[in-house]
Amino acid sequence: MALALPANAQTAPIPKVVTKDGRHALLVDGAPFLVLGAQVNNSSNYPAALDDVWPAIDMLKPNTVMVPIAWEQVEAEEGRFDFSFVDTLLAQARANKVRLVLLWFATWKNNGPNYAPAWVKLDNTRFPRVITADGRTLNSMSPHAQATLDADRKAFARLMRHLKQVDLQRTVIMVQPQNEPGTYGGVRDFSPLAQKQFDSAVPQALLAKLGKRPGTWKQVFGADADEFFHAWHIARFIDQVAEAGKAEYPLPMYINAALRGPFNPGQPGQYASGGPTDNVLDIYKAAAPHIDALTPDIYMPEYTHYTTVLERYSRPDNALFVSETGNREEYARYFFSALGEQAIGWSPFGIDFSKYSNWPLGAKAMTPETLEDFALNYRLVAPAARLIAQASFDGKVRGTAEQPGKPVQTLKIDERWNMVVTYGVPQFWFTGEPPGNPQPIGRALVVQIGPDEFLVTGAHARININASEPKRGDRQIYEYVDEGTYDVDGKWVFRRRWNGDQTDYGLNFSSATQLLRVKLASY
Ligand code: N0T
């Protein structure tokens, strides 16, 4: 051959998000990957702090750890970059055999620029903040300032360039530019610069996306105009940051949302106005073509709230990734609901032993006991994670979590099979009304791997797979129920066959780590 191979010819492909038939996959090393995530606390982004991270990671056993990279720590002085923490983090992540998602805490870290360097956050002239309608200055950056965009994206692009150089093995699989962007305490920027744009025409791309006729923001959107305008401009800002980063190194990038209540949202400004809340997802889609997903951070423990959020962010044009969720016990089971909504990943927040707790969002204390509720999830699915990610991409995954007061759930698998999950019943026999578990901790997963063949797992639940047609149901038996696991090469390793009491009343899951391959038949 005349041409030399490129230096990185042997490296894995760059991760990417792909979509087919309205379903999504995150490809890592060229195949669908399920993010079993763990996000560290907000200030755990220093080498010394990592000492409190790895012991918790070792107990939870995620496959991906999510860690902030602060603008202030990489560009404390304008134009001088220091990526030494990134290098330390990459080395330790590899040693601990986990992938990384990096969180770029910059212009917006929950409303404010507190993670921006002093030369940014203390210079309100060069980097202006949002001005309210009554003339107050908020601690939230205006999305209209070219200087802020230029400075943020320059630093972000340098980060991505650095990553491209030091991460040929693709330890980093996704990047989150900003964190829960949006503004609290005001609906939008009312500075003269912002007002001038507000009074001009709505961009064509947005009109086309929403099927609206031309006009000013007020004319087109009426009462929603202020919020939609802010959302559009924040999304455009972040999209340009992402675009510059992807030009250096095109990793998947997503924007996480501080949610508004799904049923009683309140007013923009009470929730983060201009962030990717459920009412502005279409605006973000039009404004941010370089963003691969809009992701919910779910801190709503109530069942219908949680599952409604999952449904709203799982769309043919949006891969569901639960980028943060509470680390209290009651949240653990919702990992299975997320899988049932075709999630590409899920991550509890606050996973380290720095002894910080964000209670009441999360647990009162981060302890080994707290982690165990979540570790069970990952023990159950980790050996099959690749298989599940592929099956999810093919629409073959059903998952659910226990809803208080609803001890029986029925999910349609396909035209031939239903999955019935019962909570709170003994493992042996039982007739009568199922009571549900004392606490709603049940969870169930069924992955269809053949016409009559399933991978089944769960916890604190009884799972039955029933023929939808009664005549076939009457003669339904198991050909086999095999407990086992998958080895690192994805080969099934048989442990034992379940039969007799273990199958006569359904497949009963406790807190044991049990993964079943089940084949149904009829005599
Ligand atoms: C999250 C986290 C971290 C009852 C909170 C959630 C993380 C950020 N924000 O610990 O700060 O960086 O993304 C805000 C949720 C407020 C909801 C209160 C509703």
Side-chain angles (χ1 to χ4, degrees):
M1 263 217 299
L3 291 173
L5 284 171
N8 62 354
Q10 301 303 315
T11 61
I14 298 171
K16 65 174 171 187
V17 175
V18 293
T19 299
K20 193 185 70 185
D21 302 334
R23 288 186 299 270
H24 315 279
L26 169 64
L27 302 187
V28 172
D29 299 338
F33 183 86
L34 181 63
V35 176
L36 310 177
Q39 185 168 153
V40 304
N41 279 298
N42 280 173
S43 309
S44 298
N45 56 320
Y46 289 85
L50 290 178
D51 294 348
D52 290 328
V53 168
W54 302 119
I57 297 307
D58 194 46
M59 286 184 193
L60 178 59
K61 297 207 178 353
N63 61 19
T64 304
V65 180
M66 303 171 63
V67 183
I69 303 296
W71 187 2
E72 66 180 348
Q73 83 186 126
V74 304
E75 197 186 7
E77 193 188 315
E78 186 170 8
R80 284 184 55 142
F81 292 92
D82 174 359
F83 295 112
S84 53
F85 172 66
V86 175
D87 296 343
T88 301
L89 177 63
L90 285 172
Q92 294 192 14
R94 289 170 190 149
N96 285 276
K97 298 193 164 48
V98 291
R99 306 284 182 148
L100 292 170
V101 172
L102 299 187
L103 316 171
W104 175 240
F105 284 11
T107 296
W108 291 283
K109 196 294 175 188
N110 299 82
N111 169 74
N114 297 338
Y115 281 80
W119 58 269
V120 173
K121 68 183 177 185
L122 303 183
D123 188 344
N124 213 30
T125 309
R126 185 174 165 203
F127 306 109
R129 287 169 163 79
V130 165
I131 311 285
T132 62
D134 56 0
R136 286 171 300 117
T137 302
L138 300 178
N139 187 30
S140 184
M141 298 304 253
S142 168
H144 306 285
Q146 187 66 40
T148 313
L149 171 60
D150 288 345
D152 186 322
R153 76 174 155 191
K154 179 178 168 203
F156 184 68
R158 289 294 292 262
L159 168 65
M160 296 308 295
R161 184 188 303 176
H162 183 76
L163 270 186
K164 182 186 179 164
Q165 288 161 359
V166 299
D167 193 26
L168 297 180
Q169 53 270 72
R170 319 302 181 202
T171 298
V172 178
I173 58 173
M174 288 202 283
V175 179
Q176 176 198 291
Q178 316 304 333
N179 186 84
E180 292 188 349
T183 298
Y184 288 102
V187 62
R188 69 166 171 97
D189 187 7
F190 287 83
S191 68
L193 175 63
Q195 191 59 39
K196 195 164 162 257
Q197 294 187 39
F198 185 75
D199 292 331
S200 56
V202 173
Q204 181 54 39
L206 183 54
L207 295 173
K209 171 84 184 172
L210 302 179
K212 297 273 189 188
R213 311 192 48 137
T216 66
W217 287 86
K218 196 80 209 170
Q219 287 164 347
V220 176
F221 295 115
D224 291 322
D226 293 320
E227 181 185 10
F228 286 12
F229 171 79
H230 201 44
W232 170 266
H233 285 283
I234 290 180
R236 284 296 309 133
F237 183 115
I238 302 174
D239 190 63
Q240 291 173 80
V241 172
E243 181 179 15
K246 284 189 165 185
E248 297 289 346
Y249 181 33
L251 283 179
M253 296 188 187
Y254 68 89
I255 305 176
N256 62 331
L259 301 172
R260 56 183 218 156
F263 307 121
N264 294 299
Q267 294 303 311
Q270 295 171 328
Y271 61 86
S273 181
T277 46
D278 57 7
N279 55 326
V280 296
L281 296 180
D282 287 336
I283 294 178
Y284 265 74
K285 288 293 170 186
H290 299 90
I291 293 298
D292 295 276
L294 306 168
T295 70
D297 292 350
I298 317 183
Y299 294 94
M300 300 169 183
E302 195 276 321
Y303 184 90
T304 54
H305 283 81
Y306 203 106
T307 54
T308 299
V309 169
L310 294 176
E311 286 165 20
R312 291 193 188 163
Y313 282 81
S314 177
R315 315 191 331 174
D317 66 350
N318 194 59
L320 175 64
F321 173 50
V322 180
S323 41
E324 296 177 25
T325 198
N327 61 31
R328 281 155 70 165
E329 174 179 20
E330 58 205 301
Y331 286 104
R333 72 192 198 276
Y334 291 126
F335 172 56
F336 283 67
S337 305
L339 292 176
E341 290 290 341
Q342 267 70 66
I344 61 168
W346 185 86
S347 178
F349 176 87
I351 308 298
D352 60 43
F353 289 141
S354 61
K355 295 210 158 55
Y356 182 83
S357 151
N358 70 352
W359 186 87
L361 301 188
K364 278 234 159 105
M366 179 42 62
T367 62
E369 295 72 52
T370 308
L371 284 175
E372 173 50 27
D373 301 316
F374 293 83
L376 173 61
N377 285 341
Y378 292 174
R379 276 201 304 274
L380 291 172
V381 308
R386 288 283 193 177
L387 184 157
I388 292 169
Q390 177 66 56
S392 182
F393 193 32
D394 298 334
K396 302 285 185 196
V397 175
R398 302 291 176 266
T400 187
E402 183 170 4
Q403 175 176 17
K406 289 262 175 65
V408 181
Q409 296 169 327
T410 302
L411 285 79
K412 181 176 169 179
I413 296 175
D414 64 5
E415 294 311 320
R416 288 160 50 76
W417 300 108
N418 292 317
M419 150 188 187
V420 179
V421 190
T422 311
Y423 300 102
V425 293
Q427 294 185 298
F428 181 81
W429 197 52
F430 187 75
T431 55
E433 272 302 298
N437 287 306
Q439 297 295 323
I441 56 174
R443 47 202 105 159
L445 185 77
V446 171
V447 181
Q448 191 168 28
I449 54 179
D452 300 333
E453 207 176 353
F454 305 91
L455 193 67
V456 184
T457 192
H460 312 290
R462 175 185 286 188
I463 304 176
N464 279 287
I465 298 172
N466 296 337
S468 39
E469 185 198 339
K471 264 175 65 188
R472 199 156 45 84
D474 288 346
R475 294 170 157 264
Q476 179 183 326
I477 55 171
Y478 293 113
E479 181 175 330
Y480 56 77
V481 176
D482 285 353
E483 181 187 333
T485 190
Y486 289 93
D487 70 13
V488 285
D489 301 317
K491 212 173 115 298
W492 177 252
V493 182
F494 173 90
R495 181 163 181 260
R496 60 170 176 161
R497 181 156 287 188
W498 282 20
N499 213 332
D501 286 352
Q502 278 65 55
T503 59
D504 287 346
Y505 313 101
L507 307 172
N508 288 280
F509 292 90
S510 60
S511 60
T513 307
Q514 290 167 334
L515 186 62
L516 305 178
R517 272 176 69 152
V518 176
K519 185 155 185 203
L520 290 160
S522 41
Y523 59 86

